[in-house]
Amino acid sequence: MNGAESLVRTLATAGVDTCFTNPGTSEMHIVAALDRVPEIRCVLGLFEGVVTGAADGYARMTRKPASTLLHLGPGLGNGLANLHNARRANVPIVNLIGQHALPHLPLDTPLTSDIEGIARPCSKWVRTSRNSANLGSDAVEAVVASLTPPGQIATLIIPADAAWSDGGKVAALPVLPRAAVPSGEAIERAAAMLRSNARTAILLAESALYGKGLMAAGKIAAATNAKLLCPYPFARLERGLGRPHVERTQYVLELAIDQYKEFRQLILVGADAPVAYFAYPEKSSVVAQPDCKISRLASARENCGRALEMLCEALEIRDVSGRDDPLERPSAPTGEITLAGLAGVVGAVLPENSIVVDESMTSGRGMMASTRNSPPHDWLANTGGSIGIALPLAVGAAVACPHRRVLCLSADGSGMYTLQALWTMARENLKVTTVIFSNRAYGVLKREFAGLGVGEPGPRAQQMFSIGEPDLDWAALANGMGVPATRAENLESFSKLLRHGLDSGSPSLIEVRV
Amino acid sequence: MNGAESLVRTLATAGVDTCFTNPGTSEMHIVAALDRVPEIRCVLGLFEGVVTGAADGYARMTRKPASTLLHLGPGLGNGLANLHNARRANVPIVNLIGQHALPHLPLDTPLTSDIEGIARPCSKWVRTSRNSANLGSDAVEAVVASLTPPGQIATLIIPADAAWSDGGKVAALPVLPRAAVPSGEAIERAAAMLRSNARTAILLAESALYGKGLMAAGKIAAATNAKLLCPYPFARLERGLGRPHVERTQYVLELAIDQYKEFRQLILVGADAPVAYFAYPEKSSVVAQPDCKISRLASARENCGRALEMLCEALEIRDVSGRDDPLERPSAPTGEITLAGLAGVVGAVLPENSIVVDESMTSGRGMMASTRNSPPHDWLANTGGSIGIALPLAVGAAVACPHRRVLCLSADGSGMYTLQALWTMARENLKVTTVIFSNRAYGVLKREFAGLGVGEPGPRAQQMFSIGEPDLDWAALANGMGVPATRAENLESFSKLLRHGLDSGSPSLIEVRV
């Protein structure tokens, strides 16, 4: 067995069942090995940012690593921005990056680059395999590194000669590291804070935002009158009817400061204390009031869900009555396209058990409010702030959950970074309905320009914020990649197209001009 | 004057007249400064790989650095693959990368990353400015670094607080480093080789491939019967009627070895001895015969053009009669689309003084032969092997040379990496005619798979080489970004569309299915 086959068989044995790929010549032996191991599904992306963003989306939904397969340093480079986002999402990913055969490296041929150097800023674990005999055990270590709490990016660099040489050995996965539970003192400290009369918020992240952890948080909030918050950037939030309501921290610094003003106490569960996204002249970056007492129940590396259950027990909360949520869906608004109207339509239409991928930026601010009482669903956000993640993330979520419907909300500027993801949606016939909010601008920059006190933008600055002139025709772009697409001209047509897209069982795209 | 303005004014003073941009919040003060300095033209790209590839194309044609303006680490990451190519082209580029305000960095906010770490693998010079007073002098050092022979990538990282704080000082450019001329011994050694009877090739790169250097090489070849060669990856080659013929080293290793078999002597001018692009099991990566005597006339850092003129003088070559080139253009072939037919049409149509950007991969192998006697033109190739450079490079060449027509030849797989460049062509109304060779495959991988002796690709491997299913509709993609586009159904229609596109004075795209 050659090294490549031992690598791929080891990954399959370790439970890796998906490989998002964009290989080149130096990865051909790995491709040949994937040919022989049907346990791993291969999903091709036509650009590496699609591949890495898809691996992120897959991991957010499964908590398992997908692998990527990328071509040398430049291929990894193209995937770097979405690996940055994935790193901030604390998800497990195993990157497989080809390398020239080791004796070829000193020749410094055109595609030679410092792959480890490119990998390090986005990877917690980086290794270059030395030979075929090591590839299996290196792959196991990569999987273990990726699953080390809270979830990490592991990058394994595979010289072509290690892949093609005989002597490969399939390695077995050892017992995986498990997330620790917080200390009794941490639980007791949080319980004491919640027993006091001070107004308290609990800032949730990681596994505190879904499943048992979230339900425990809901019980605590109901019993203690604490408010549940999450950071503006979060990886995955379960929400909707019957789920505890978690309020997202505002993106705009002033609004976030207002939001946190009432709280005298803040309990952190998997999150850090909130700070401004960007720095502004003469402004502090800290969100909470200086006299707010901040205490950590659990770090991101600890078992946040279990921590909340333990806190429930410490507070002797047994059972809480459900929320009084309306059972009727609101009817979809009609008329001209407005941001509020679009949000209203999504709130009226969103199907049960769907996954919403949200990079709607300035156009989608009302989306979370309008879907608060929709049937239960998951919401995925941009964790690292590098735009161009929504479409790839939707690919990964749809591959991970083939029976769920994915609604992908993307700003036009963001969508353009990784629009190649549409082709993968078409090839894999993924159940993704993409909505492009076309304001023909980097809207957030217009606002930030003002917020930074830089003055009025002149004509040249305005040209750098405008992405019209010429206008993008998203229906043409999507059709060009095999995804049926239409522009919605009013809210009625948006409702109809959205329902139809979500029910179709295949990908579609709706452009709305806002 | 704030730091940002001192930075931008310094760049303008140093002769930087173009900034390819994709800025974000942390770069807003630099955008505001660009608003106030009309000497620098700003060209927006909707993806950073477009920005960096355009800076490469600009530099290849002007030998001057353009600047880029990119958003933090992820923005630089997205531009990395084409910076890799630019590094291999030895072109000057000054990257301006925003950074959070320094006091904001310890907060480790979502967009924080190791920007210097991301920059280093593709940059010869990296610096983070410390404060506004340093920005002007740092900018000057970046320009000097970029223009240090043979041309380098310089990356200046600009914390937001250095940009927005007062105290900026415009700095003046010192005397620039000049490329050294080779030693008398190097000249004499090459002259002695050429005076011998041994069959000799001269491998040219850098400034030996255009202008006076190339003309001197042509005289030497005519007088000594030496053969002129260039590496497979080259940055810029002047060619066509009246220009010395330079033969490109073959990409396929076996063909390259055959090509070099006859030579007993090889003189290197700005190039290294040829080696295989990739390593193959059981094969040597060296192209020249073991008994071929290899000697360097000039390194890439030396003045290659002047070296050839000095060699001419040493050989006492005065004047050489011109080549016997045909003066008549061949007529354009007609009939069904074939690769030879497409090459024939380009040979018949290519206008004088045009710039050809070539990433046509397996579909365009006949293009250089068919245009050998076309009117004089420049040819730009992929230097670093990271695909997705043609469209951005064409943007940069067209911005650099607004009066010249650019013919951009791109494979479909390559084009998909950076298709956003089409939008910039439309916005800037660039004279670029793009031809997409649509074979709906990563054709090179099919061949490499066989060449590596991996066996027959199975269905899963074939799915990773095919980029059909669904087929891309390039006319729709281009139209969606504002570039008029059509599919050529036969060679007559290709001729007509190509002539029309080149004569139109604005961008267009032609898809040909091959």
Side-chain angles (χ1 to χ4, degrees), chain B residues 121-145:
Chain B
C122 65
S123 310
K124 191 74 182 182
W125 183 98
V126 178
R127 180 174 299 168
T128 301
S129 280
R130 287 292 130 192
N131 57 50
S132 59
N134 289 349
L135 264 177
S137 55
D138 287 342
V140 154
E141 286 195 52
V143 172
V144 170

Side-chain angles (χ1 to χ4, degrees), chain A residues 21-25 28-29 31-32 34-35 37-38 40 42 44 46-48 71-72 74 77-78 80-81 84 87-88 100-101 104 107-113 117-118 121 164 233 275-281 285 383-386 416-417 419-420 423 426-427 442 445 448-449 452 454 457-461 463-473 476-477 480-481, chain B residues 21-25 28-29 31-32 34-35 37-38 40 42 44 46-48 71-72 74 77-78 80-81 84 87-88 100-101 104 107-113 117-118 121 164 233 275-281 285 383-386 416-417 419-420 423 426-427 442 445 448-449 452 454 457-461 463-473 476-477 480-481:
Chain A
T21 72
N22 188 267
T25 297
M28 283 302 101
H29 287 84
V31 169
L34 286 164
D35 236 353
V37 183
I40 299 185
C42 294
L44 179 64
L46 298 188
F47 173 69
E48 295 88 344
H71 185 42
L72 300 169
N78 277 334
L80 219 60
H84 167 87
R87 179 172 72 90
R88 293 292 180 182
H100 288 307
H104 196 70
L107 300 174
D108 194 33
T109 52
L111 269 161
T112 305
S113 65
I118 296 170
W164 75 48
V275 288
Y277 226 76
F278 290 104
Y280 301 90
S285 294
T383 47
S386 178
M416 277 303 285
Y417 285 75
L419 74 163
Q420 302 93 338
W423 180 86
R427 167 171 274 198
Y442 290 130
L445 294 188
E448 294 285 346
F449 198 89
L452 283 159
V454 186
R460 290 145 59 82
Q463 281 290 90
M464 282 188 261
F465 304 154
S466 154
I467 64 168
E469 306 164 64
D471 286 353
L472 296 162
D473 178 344
L477 295 174
M481 285 183 272
Chain B
T21 71
N22 188 268
T25 297
M28 284 301 101
H29 287 85
V31 169
L34 285 164
D35 237 353
V37 181
I40 298 185
C42 294
L44 179 64
L46 298 188
F47 173 69
E48 294 88 344
H71 184 43
L72 300 168
N78 276 334
L80 219 59
H84 166 87
R87 178 171 74 89
R88 293 291 180 182
H100 288 307
H104 196 69
L107 300 173
D108 194 33
T109 52
L111 269 162
T112 304
S113 64
I118 297 170
W164 74 48
V275 287
Y277 226 77
F278 290 104
Y280 300 90
S285 293
T383 47
S386 178
M416 277 304 285
Y417 285 76
L419 73 165
Q420 303 93 338
W423 180 86
R427 168 170 274 197
Y442 290 131
L445 294 189
E448 296 283 348
F449 198 88
L452 282 160
V454 186
R460 288 146 61 82
Q463 281 292 89
M464 282 188 261
F465 304 154
S466 153
I467 64 168
E469 306 164 65
D471 286 353
L472 296 162
D473 178 345
L477 294 174
M481 286 182 272

Side-chain angles (χ1 to χ4, degrees), chain B residues 27-114:
Chain B
E27 295 77 37
M28 284 301 101
H29 287 85
I30 301 174
V31 169
L34 285 164
D35 237 353
R36 296 192 290 274
V37 181
E39 294 87 343
I40 298 185
R41 175 181 180 183
C42 294
V43 177
L44 179 64
L46 298 188
F47 173 69
E48 294 88 344
V50 176
V51 169
T52 54
D56 183 0
Y58 175 94
R60 292 197 199 183
M61 297 313 301
T62 61
R63 306 306 301 167
K64 291 200 308 183
S67 86
T68 67
L69 178 60
L70 302 174
H71 184 43
L72 300 168
L76 175 59
N78 276 334
L80 219 59
N82 275 338
L83 286 176
H84 166 87
N85 288 330
R87 178 171 74 89
R88 293 291 180 182
N90 290 327
V91 292
I93 294 179
V94 174
N95 294 312
L96 307 178
I97 315 294
Q99 171 60 296
H100 288 307
L102 294 177
H104 196 69
L105 278 180
L107 300 173
D108 194 33
T109 52
L111 269 162
T112 304
S113 64
D114 175 9

Side-chain angles (χ1 to χ4, degrees), chain A residues 147-188:
Chain A
L147 286 168
T148 299
Q152 303 185 145
I153 315 284
T155 299
L156 179 60
I157 300 163
I158 302 138
D161 50 344
W164 75 48
S165 297
D166 278 338
K169 295 175 213 149
V170 176
L173 199 64
V175 177
L176 286 170
R178 293 180 62 172
V181 293
S183 66
E185 292 102 87
I187 304 282
E188 202 31 64

Side-chain angles (χ1 to χ4, degrees), chain A residues 475-500:
Chain A
L477 295 174
N479 284 323
M481 285 183 272
V483 171
T486 333
R487 192 184 303 161
E489 301 294 351
N490 54 40
L491 293 177
E492 290 84 337
S493 103
F494 180 60
S495 289
K496 200 177 143 195
L497 291 167
L498 188 59
R499 283 182 211 274
H500 182 263

Side-chain angles (χ1 to χ4, degrees), chain A residues 239-241 245 323 326 328-333 338-351 356 358 360 363-375 377 379 407 409 437 494 498:
Chain A
R239 59 199 298 274
L241 212 57
H245 176 61
R323 283 160 60 198
E328 301 264 317
R329 301 292 299 257
S331 59
T338 61
L339 294 184
L342 292 168
V345 170
V346 171
V349 168
L350 192 68
V356 180
D358 181 13
S360 52
S363 299
R365 299 276 185 240
M367 288 291 163
M368 292 191 82
S370 73
T371 52
R372 181 173 160 175
N373 292 327
S374 293
H377 59 273
W379 201 277
L407 174 60
L409 308 172
F437 298 90
F494 180 60
L498 188 59

